Amino acid sequence: MAMADNGRVVCKCTAARRSFFCFREISFDDKPNRRNHLRNVSAVPVFKNGIFTRCSPSVAGNSILSMDARENPRSSILPSSRDKRIPIYVMMPVDAFCIDGSGRPRIRKIKALTVALKALKLAGVHGIAVEVWWGIVERFSPLAYDWSLYEELFKLISESGLKLHVALSFHSNVNSSSSRKGGVSLPLWIVEIGDQNKHIYYRDQNGFSNDDYLTLGVDHVPLFCGRTALQCYEDFMSNFAKKFESFIGTVIEEISVGLGPSGELRYPAHPFGDGRWKFPGIGEFQCYDKYMMDDLKMAACKEGKPQWGERGPQNAGCYNSLPSEVPFFEEGEESFLSDYGCFFLEWYSGRLLRHADDILAKAANFLKKYQENKQTNILLAAKIGGIYWWYQTVSHPAELTAGYYNTALRDGYDPVASILSRHGAALHVSCLEMTDGDNPASYLCSPEGLLQQIWTVSKKRVHLIGRNTNERFDRVGLWQIHANCYHSQAEAVRSFTYFRMNDKIFRAENWNNFVPFVRKMNTNL
């Protein structure tokens, strides 16, 4: 999960032009010390009493969690990528766009951006990652799409000799924007519906809504001028494919489809923009809108336990709780290991998996003709959040509240890989710049262990593409990215997205680290 959004519009490019063309080569041979082996999930100690109960199968999650046996031929063994160069994409600044006085979107500081693109191309960067915002394109009324901003931007990037990774973004970044200015909301006509019906957004146990993304509870409910949320996403993707058909597979080489907050497949359990949550809090379950609660009630009735559908866990703490003080994430009769706990977590994670399955099926359908055409090159991708804090506990509470039913006793990422494999989609993972020692030991973090688990479940099934979570320009951080992209125990990632372009990247001390890093990634092993 992107913990901070450090993007700034490129505004010092002109002043930095000299450094663009005076690259000083720095060797990466002096590798920082790093562990030879990553922590494996099976190494996490079990409960102090050595007692746990096996979760019995539940109807709440069976339809999704058993997908392994129903993967289509796209899940066949992938060709090795060990000896291939890794293309680098650099994500556009978060505030590269603005809304002018007439209400139309436009590119800010286009001359500076043009200089920056040329510099990145000279440095060996392969392409630019661009968020294509639902809230910009279908801003004012349903089915009224305005692609003019992206027509101009894609042309500018293409003319600079760069390729595109397009992130179809169905979320808002208003709350996560560090300045709270210039962010992109959901479409205004969606916001108007939300003003009348707050239940179209995810809700926590205290009734607070998160308006960054529509709740998956409305995926199949026709609340949006006669359309369901899923139909809105499908229409948007279809119109995008029609508008940019000549770019797809030629200039546009990767398309990631937004599946939740920050574009990631997860619940907004850790809302870092409004002050409710602070790292390393465990977060809260986000299932209290009426549509998800109705679904929970139906699942509980099917299970023969209607009382389980009345509410979510009542002993799961709050956003900033620590695991040791929360009964649901410890051992006991009412914990995550109880029959109720297993039922709820299977339902909660299962609905998230179904959400991904539904949207990716639509995306894969419109990309099929490009993927079957040998003259084009296009990759579908889906992001997951990097929830690495409390990973070394048995319950993995931060992952559970985010919707990943992953514990020391259960693999929660295998069903995610199964769904992506069915649709031929790559898994977009974060945290590639991190080590376990980057955070206080008391937080029991393990980004390395999380990555090791994801590498294991994805092996030979889905491609991986990577990104960093925190902005890093130092050699140690960049080398960690390189080491993870070419990890000895996994296939090399298909591509890497650097998060993200801003004026800092072009400062001499940072540029002189970034350029050798890009060139190293461009060198075949």
Side-chain angles (χ1 to χ4, degrees):
M1 180 176 66
M3 301 302 303
D5 208 337
N6 298 312
R8 291 291 185 277
V9 71
V10 179
C11 58
K12 299 183 180 178
C13 296
T14 304
R17 281 182 186 173
R18 281 181 201 163
S19 64
F20 289 168
F21 306 104
C22 301
F23 304 135
R24 180 167 61 88
E25 193 70 51
I26 296 178
S27 172
F28 271 71
D29 292 339
D30 299 329
K31 307 174 186 178
N33 291 329
R34 65 187 302 275
R35 304 179 197 184
N36 293 326
H37 302 287
L38 301 181
R39 182 179 285 105
N40 189 290
V41 66
S42 63
V44 180
V46 295
F47 288 108
K48 52 183 177 291
N49 292 335
I51 301 173
F52 64 90
T53 59
R54 183 179 301 276
C55 295
S56 58
S58 167
V59 299
N62 280 353
S63 61
I64 295 294
L65 299 182
S66 61
M67 278 184 179
D68 304 57
R70 295 188 282 127
E71 294 179 21
N72 68 9
R74 296 188 188 195
S75 63
S76 57
I77 295 176
L78 300 172
S80 175
S81 59
R82 289 295 313 156
D83 300 324
K84 295 181 179 179
R85 59 182 288 273
I86 296 177
I88 302 290
Y89 293 87
V90 176
M91 183 169 281
M92 284 284 289
V94 68
D95 53 356
F97 315 131
C98 67
I99 305 299
D100 64 22
S102 66
R104 295 179 63 84
R106 64 176 179 85
I107 304 171
R108 300 180 68 239
K109 300 187 178 180
I110 193 167
K111 291 183 179 180
L113 178 59
T114 302
V115 173
L117 294 175
K118 291 179 179 178
L120 292 171
K121 176 62 178 178
L122 287 172
V125 168
H126 181 75
I128 303 298
V130 176
E131 289 145 320
V132 175
W133 296 99
W134 186 25
I136 286 180
V137 176
E138 197 179 356
R139 183 174 180 78
F140 296 107
S141 23
L143 299 171
Y145 303 106
D146 179 2
W147 299 102
S148 57
L149 174 76
Y150 294 103
E151 288 181 289
E152 181 182 7
L153 181 60
F154 290 2
K155 181 181 178 183
L156 180 64
I157 292 170
S158 177
E159 290 177 346
S160 298
L162 295 161
K163 301 297 185 179
L164 275 163
H165 170 117
V166 171
L168 301 179
S169 300
F170 298 111
H171 64 284
S172 162
N173 71 346
V174 171
N175 290 324
S176 60
S177 175
S178 58
S179 65
R180 293 296 185 94
K181 295 179 180 179
V184 180
S185 70
L186 293 179
L188 298 182
W189 61 276
I190 292 283
V191 174
E192 289 177 1
I193 295 172
D195 289 341
Q196 302 300 317
N197 180 8
K198 291 291 186 183
H199 288 273
I200 68 171
Y201 306 123
Y202 288 115
R203 287 189 130 194
D204 64 20
Q205 60 187 338
N206 293 313
F208 289 108
S209 297
N210 186 306
D211 58 4
D212 285 347
Y213 189 80
L214 296 177
T215 169
L216 60 80
V218 299
D219 277 358
H220 300 279
V221 184
L223 297 174
F224 308 100
C225 301
R227 293 185 295 166
T228 66
L230 184 60
Q231 288 171 332
C232 290
Y233 306 145
E234 181 182 14
D235 290 341
F236 183 91
M237 292 187 290
S238 177
N239 198 268
F240 169 83
K242 182 179 179 181
K243 184 67 179 181
F244 296 105
E245 184 170 13
S246 62
F247 277 63
I248 297 177
T250 53
V251 176
I252 300 173
E253 293 188 345
E254 296 183 353
I255 296 178
S256 62
V257 179
L259 300 172
S262 298
E264 299 169 346
L265 176 63
R266 61 177 175 85
Y267 293 101
H270 311 94
F272 54 89
D274 60 10
R276 277 181 289 166
W277 172 82
K278 294 182 180 179
F279 181 81
I282 60 175
E284 290 188 14
F285 292 110
Q286 305 288 314
C287 59
Y288 291 89
D289 62 87
K290 67 180 181 182
Y291 304 103
M292 288 197 71
M293 289 306 297
D294 286 346
D295 192 278
L296 177 60
K297 291 174 183 177
M298 288 190 291
C301 288
K302 289 181 181 178
E303 189 75 1
K305 299 283 188 178
Q307 67 274 20
W308 287 354
E310 295 176 2
R311 54 191 179 183
Q314 296 299 290
N315 59 347
C318 58
Y319 287 109
N320 296 307
S321 296
L322 305 181
S324 59
E325 58 194 39
V326 179
F328 187 77
F329 299 114
E330 292 288 306
E331 58 182 308
E333 294 183 358
E334 297 182 355
S335 75
F336 74 103
L337 291 172
S338 66
D339 288 344
Y340 166 74
C342 291
F343 160 80
F344 175 80
L345 292 172
E346 285 179 6
W347 170 81
Y348 189 68
S349 64
R351 291 306 178 262
L352 192 66
L353 291 167
R354 178 187 293 178
H355 176 68
D357 193 34
D358 287 343
I359 296 178
L360 289 176
K362 303 295 185 184
N365 185 57
F366 83 77
L367 288 180
K368 184 185 301 182
K369 71 175 182 179
Y370 303 100
Q371 293 174 329
E372 292 174 348
N373 183 350
K374 295 182 179 180
Q375 303 300 316
T376 59
N377 176 33
I378 187 69
L379 181 70
L380 175 64
K383 289 182 181 180
I384 62 170
I387 314 295
Y388 57 86
W389 54 104
W390 307 118
Y391 185 86
Q392 297 182 63
T393 65
V394 177
S395 60
H396 294 223
E399 290 168 273
L400 295 184
T401 57
Y404 305 123
Y405 191 1
N406 189 59
T407 70
L409 313 173
R410 186 184 189 279
D411 191 333
Y413 297 102
D414 184 74
V416 176
S418 294
I419 288 174
L420 269 61
S421 178
R422 291 180 61 213
H423 301 298
L427 182 58
H428 197 172
V429 297
S430 62
C431 303
L432 267 65
E433 83 287 5
M434 292 186 180
T435 66
D436 287 358
D438 289 342
N439 295 281
S442 60
Y443 297 168
L444 298 176
C445 299
S446 186
E448 295 181 72
L450 175 61
L451 287 174
Q452 179 67 64
Q453 183 180 359
I454 292 172
W455 281 324
T456 300
V457 302
S458 64
K459 191 174 184 180
K460 302 296 183 181
R461 298 165 67 191
V462 295
H463 285 297
L464 291 180
I465 61 176
R467 70 188 189 277
N468 53 309
T469 295
N470 299 311
E471 186 180 83
R472 294 290 294 267
F473 298 113
D474 60 290
R475 293 175 61 209
V476 173
L478 294 173
W479 178 256
Q480 180 70 10
I481 291 171
H482 180 273
N484 278 327
C485 286
Y486 284 109
H487 194 269
S488 60
Q489 298 178 21
E491 296 295 316
V493 299
R494 176 79 174 259
S495 67
F496 178 81
T497 298
Y498 185 83
F499 186 86
R500 59 174 80 220
M501 188 197 310
N502 56 48
D503 62 312
K504 295 179 186 177
I505 199 172
F506 298 109
R507 294 175 185 171
E509 64 274 21
N510 296 330
W511 189 249
N512 289 336
N513 289 334
F514 184 73
V515 172
F517 161 71
V518 172
R519 291 179 176 174
K520 185 73 173 177
M521 297 282 274
N522 281 339
T523 303
N524 293 343
L525 295 184

